[in-house]
């Protein structure tokens, strides 16, 4: 039996702004764009990973969620308190320059971390923190 990651979800409040970042700045390809009951899900992935996808979804993609819960999720997203993802790259510095040149909000410039990676961090247009790491050279 094999278990593999196929999809992960990132909450966004504006899919069009998010697409500018994920598609144009990061170079991910759009694989699906679906609307349902006033909500939208956009699926993207790296061309080199056809079987792994990121789904950009509303902050609370549950049509039965209460208005209070929707408000809480929107507030958490605006504060940058929801979890993002970590991307791997073979060149952290080149990724940093590409994303910064595209207008990404820098949270951390490339740094050698004591846990064995070189990484940097950005905030996406919705406020999620995304990290980009590569194994540190020895």
């Amino acid at each position: 039996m094999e278990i593999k990651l196929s999809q992960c979800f990132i909450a966004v409040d504006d899919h069009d702004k998010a697409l500018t970042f994920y598609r144009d700045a990061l170079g991910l390809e759009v694989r699906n764009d679906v609307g349902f009951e006033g909500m939208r899900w956009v699926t993207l992935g790296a061309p080199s990973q056809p079987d792994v996808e990121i789904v950009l979804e509303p902050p609370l993609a549950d049509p039965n969620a209460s208005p209070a819960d929707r408000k809480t999720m929107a507030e958490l997203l605006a504060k940058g308190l929801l979890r993002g993802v970590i991307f791997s790259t073979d060149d952290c510095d080149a990724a940093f320059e590409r994303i910064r040149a595209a207008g990404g909000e820098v949270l951390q410039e490339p740094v050698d971390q004591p846990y064995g990676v070189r990484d940097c961090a950005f905030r996406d247009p919705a406020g999620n923190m995304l990290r980009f790491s590569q194994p540190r050279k020895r």
Side-chain angles (χ1 to χ4, degrees), residues 35-135:
F36 181 71
E37 294 191 8
M39 293 183 277
R40 183 179 177 194
W41 291 264
V42 177
T43 305
L44 306 105
S48 61
Q49 286 186 299
D51 57 344
V52 179
E53 299 175 324
I54 295 171
V55 182
L56 304 178
E57 65 173 356
L60 188 56
D62 181 344
N64 299 316
S66 71
D69 288 343
R70 289 184 191 286
K71 181 179 178 210
T72 298
M73 289 299 289
E75 290 171 353
L76 291 172
L77 178 62
K79 292 178 182 176
L81 296 175
L82 299 181
R83 303 298 291 177
V85 297
I86 299 174
F87 291 91
S88 64
T89 177
D90 60 350
D91 189 335
C92 178
D93 294 274
F96 176 81
E97 291 304 328
R98 175 184 171 155
I99 299 165
R100 180 169 66 179
E105 180 185 344
V106 177
L107 294 178
Q108 176 203 302
E109 294 193 10
V111 172
D112 289 336
Q113 299 289 0
Y115 41 88
V117 301
R118 181 169 180 78
D119 70 359
C120 62
F122 287 87
R123 193 170 303 284
D124 76 3
N128 298 297
M129 182 177 72
L130 308 173
R131 300 192 76 81
F132 299 84
S133 72
Q134 73 175 85

